[in-house]
């Protein structure tokens, strides 16, 4: 069973359902879907599998984050020995960013690329964490067209990896994200 926030597009939901997943759409954002998944899991004896951590729940998110390192390993393999100077990472709760950055940091050590985490302007929990030095909540509405990144709370586990290795945190407006999605890569 996969819990999705209300803003996730129908196309994404259909693609996931086509792989056999049962989708539960939550009337709210990512944080609401995590809370509802945890509530129903406790009620029914289910196991939550998520990349965000919270009090008493870190083992599975650690495994998920480690799995995200496969993305980095594949990119390194496909680069045929090329080196990355900068890596832009999606924000969200920080799980994917932590998994990719920690893999590359371990692989390259001091010669690692610069890491830049990007998240929606109104869902700036990681940016706020960087400002305060501790896991923080977003300051905005968390409502974004970047539904999968519209997260209000930083994963404490992910923050332990991000704090020492991310060079910059930045936010992006929804309009800029929409414009970027419309870029024709063939013409660039």
């Amino acid at each position: 069973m996969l819990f999705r926030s209300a803003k996730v597009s129908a196309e994404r939901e259909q693609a996931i359902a086509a792989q056999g997943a049962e989708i539960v759409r939550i009337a709210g954002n990512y944080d609401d879907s995590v809370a509802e998944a945890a509530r129903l899991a406790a009620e029914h004896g289910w196991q939550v599998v998520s990349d965000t951590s919270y009090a008493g729940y870190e083992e599975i998110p650690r495994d998920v984050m480690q799995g995200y390192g496969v993305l980095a390993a594949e990119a390194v393999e496909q680069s045929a020995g090329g080196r990355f100077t900068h890596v832009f990472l999606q924000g969200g709760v920080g799980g994917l960013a932590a998994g990719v950055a920690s893999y590359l940091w371990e692989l390259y050590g001091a010669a690692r690329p610069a890491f830049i985490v990007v998240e929606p302007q109104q869902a700036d929990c990681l940016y706020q964490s960087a400002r305060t030095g501790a896991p923080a909540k977003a300051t905005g509405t968390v409502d974004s067209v970047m539904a999968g990144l519209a997260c209000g709370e930083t994963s404490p586990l992910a923050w332990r990896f991000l704090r020492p290795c991310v060079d910059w945190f930045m936010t992006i407006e929804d309009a800029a994200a929409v414009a970027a999605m419309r870029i024709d890569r063939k013409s660039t």
Side-chain angles (χ1 to χ4, degrees), residues 41-138:
E43 184 178 305
H44 296 284
W46 300 339
Q47 179 63 61
V48 174
V49 177
S50 175
D51 72 343
T52 193
S53 65
Y54 43 85
Y57 182 72
E58 284 195 351
E59 186 176 333
I60 291 174
R62 181 177 289 115
D63 291 343
V64 172
M65 286 173 20
Q66 203 165 23
Y68 288 146
V70 173
L71 297 170
E74 290 177 351
V76 168
E77 182 181 313
Q78 291 175 20
S79 74
R83 295 298 298 253
F84 304 103
T85 59
H86 295 74
V87 176
F88 289 83
L89 301 158
Q90 68 178 38
V93 298
L96 185 137
V100 170
S102 63
Y103 177 89
L104 294 172
W105 192 12
E106 183 176 354
L107 180 66
Y108 294 120
R112 70 169 177 79
F115 299 123
I116 304 100
V117 170
V118 184
E119 62 191 332
Q121 190 172 49
Q122 63 274 37
D124 62 349
C125 61
L126 297 173
Y127 181 83
Q128 293 304 322
S129 298
R131 293 184 74 213
T132 64
K137 293 184 178 185

